[in-house]
């Protein structure tokens, strides 16, 4: 009995003291984080980029990229679920090191947080029964988009009253499936997620051909990780790790794993949406 008890104590002690990575793990950079040993993630639900699983852990494209970075820095991920309205505030307040959820690189956000190097493009897509890719085939026909999307103002110039705006993608997708729209414009990732969920029956989602009239079709929004302005060393390390993951093709591999196009990893130079 004493031997069994002693073995149990030793095993428990080992579980408490053995780190997540071997003691000889050498981080690529000298950084500090909100919680020592972890990258704390302010996780906003926006599938397939960021969502919470049944165990309360962040999953998705953003999470997989961060998991690779965590390995490079001998750290683990810690999930702090939050809604979109509070996502960036978790970083500003110091409760989280980064936020996930396909955040765009915008000029306004640079005033309150650092933005990582581009992760991927959130490509503009055409949703139609025919698998259309060209804008010109739709002129004069009823089309839809979601309020607040990057391309709305440009679409309004092309389609005028034939463009119907929706408060959510779900409502627009329902009208499209029902045949009340000839086509719809939304993010490629949103379409892939809807197809996976079975809510776009009979609809094809195609990355739209570039059209000079629609700026977002030529330069899609770049996904990023918002990070604290108070931790410049952390931001620099994350950017260096992202560069390595792009170079190795790992980010393209992660995108494909989640049903997205590998080409979305070809972000081009960093830019900001005004």
């Amino acid at each position: 009995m004493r031997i069994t008890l002693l073995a149990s104590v030793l095993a428990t002690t080992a579980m408490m003291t053995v780190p997540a990575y071997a003691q000889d793990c050498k981080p690529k950079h000298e950084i500090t984080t909100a919680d020592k040993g972890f990258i704390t993630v302010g996780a906003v639900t926006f599938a397939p980029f960021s969502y919470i699983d049944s165990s309360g852990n962040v999953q998705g494209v953003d999470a997989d990229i961060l998991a690779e970075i965590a390995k490079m820095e001998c750290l683990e991920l810690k999930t702090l679920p939050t809604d979109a309205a509070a996502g960036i505030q978790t970083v500003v307040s110091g409760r989280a090191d980064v936020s996930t959820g396909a955040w765009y690189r915008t000029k306004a956000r640079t005033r309150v947080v650092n933005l990582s190097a581009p992760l991927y493009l959130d490509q503009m897509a055409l949703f139609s029964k025919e698998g259309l890719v060209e804008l010109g085939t739709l002129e004069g026909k009823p089309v839809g988009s979601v309020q607040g999307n990057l391309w709305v103002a440009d679409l309004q110039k092309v389609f005028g009253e034939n463009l119907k705006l929706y408060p959510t993608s779900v409502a627009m997708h329902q009208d499209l499936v029902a045949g009340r729209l000839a086509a719809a414009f939304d993010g490629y990732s949103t379409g892939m997620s809807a197809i996976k969920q079975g809510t776009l029956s009979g609809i094809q989602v195609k990355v739209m051909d570039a059209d000079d009239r629609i700026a977002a079709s030529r330069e899609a929004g770049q996904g990023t990780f918002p990070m604290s302005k108070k931790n410049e060393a952390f931001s620099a390390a994350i950017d260096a790790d992202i560069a390595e993951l792009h170079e190795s093709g790992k980010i393209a591999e992660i995108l494909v794993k989640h049903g997205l196009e590998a080409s979305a990893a070809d972000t081009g130079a960093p830019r900001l949406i005004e």
Side-chain angles (χ1 to χ4, degrees), residues 113-126:
V113 289
N114 287 339
L115 301 177
S116 77
L119 303 169
Y120 44 72
L121 299 178
D122 190 16
Q123 296 166 302
M124 183 180 183
L126 251 174

Side-chain angles (χ1 to χ4, degrees), residues 59-272:
Q59 302 291 343
V61 174
D62 288 4
D64 284 359
I65 295 172
L66 281 174
E68 293 297 324
I69 290 172
K71 291 178 187 176
M72 296 161 79
E73 303 299 345
C74 303
L75 300 169
E76 287 189 350
L77 297 186
K78 177 179 286 189
T79 303
L80 177 63
T82 184
D83 59 32
I88 286 182
Q89 186 56 37
T90 63
V91 173
V92 174
S93 67
R95 297 173 61 212
D97 298 299
V98 301
S99 181
T100 58
W103 294 102
Y104 282 171
R105 289 174 51 84
T106 70
K107 187 173 182 179
R109 288 179 181 141
T110 62
R111 300 187 185 106
V112 293
V113 289
N114 287 339
L115 301 177
S116 77
L119 303 169
Y120 44 72
L121 299 178
D122 190 16
Q123 296 166 302
M124 183 180 183
L126 251 174
F127 296 36
S128 69
K129 293 180 180 179
E130 301 84 0
L132 303 175
V133 294
E134 294 182 7
L135 190 71
T137 59
L138 291 165
E139 291 183 52
K141 298 179 181 180
V143 297
S145 192
V146 178
Q147 295 169 356
N149 277 341
L150 294 177
W151 44 80
V152 166
D154 288 342
L155 287 177
Q156 286 174 324
K157 294 175 184 176
V158 175
F159 291 98
E161 294 182 354
N162 287 322
L163 175 67
K164 182 176 180 180
L165 297 179
Y166 294 81
T168 66
S169 293
V170 173
M172 180 178 69
H173 296 171
Q174 289 172 345
D175 271 7
L176 181 61
V177 171
R180 289 186 283 272
L181 297 173
F185 301 89
D186 210 342
Y188 184 83
S189 59
T190 303
M192 290 298 98
S193 182
I195 287 175
K196 187 175 181 179
Q197 294 168 10
T199 59
L200 272 180
S201 178
I203 301 299
Q204 298 183 56
V205 177
K206 302 290 185 179
V207 174
M208 180 180 151
D209 283 354
D211 188 294
D212 288 341
R213 295 169 293 178
I214 312 296
S217 71
R218 292 180 282 105
E219 288 192 341
Q222 296 175 321
T224 188
F225 291 137
M227 303 173 290
S228 174
K229 282 184 170 293
K230 298 178 181 178
N231 196 342
E232 296 292 344
F234 180 84
S235 294
I238 295 300
D239 280 355
D241 292 343
I242 289 170
E244 188 168 330
L245 293 173
H246 273 303
E247 181 67 24
S248 69
K250 189 65 182 181
I251 290 180
E253 179 185 319
I254 289 170
L255 289 167
V256 172
K257 169 188 170 183
H258 290 277
L260 303 179
E261 294 285 337
S263 61
D266 298 327
T267 64
R271 57 180 179 268
L272 297 173

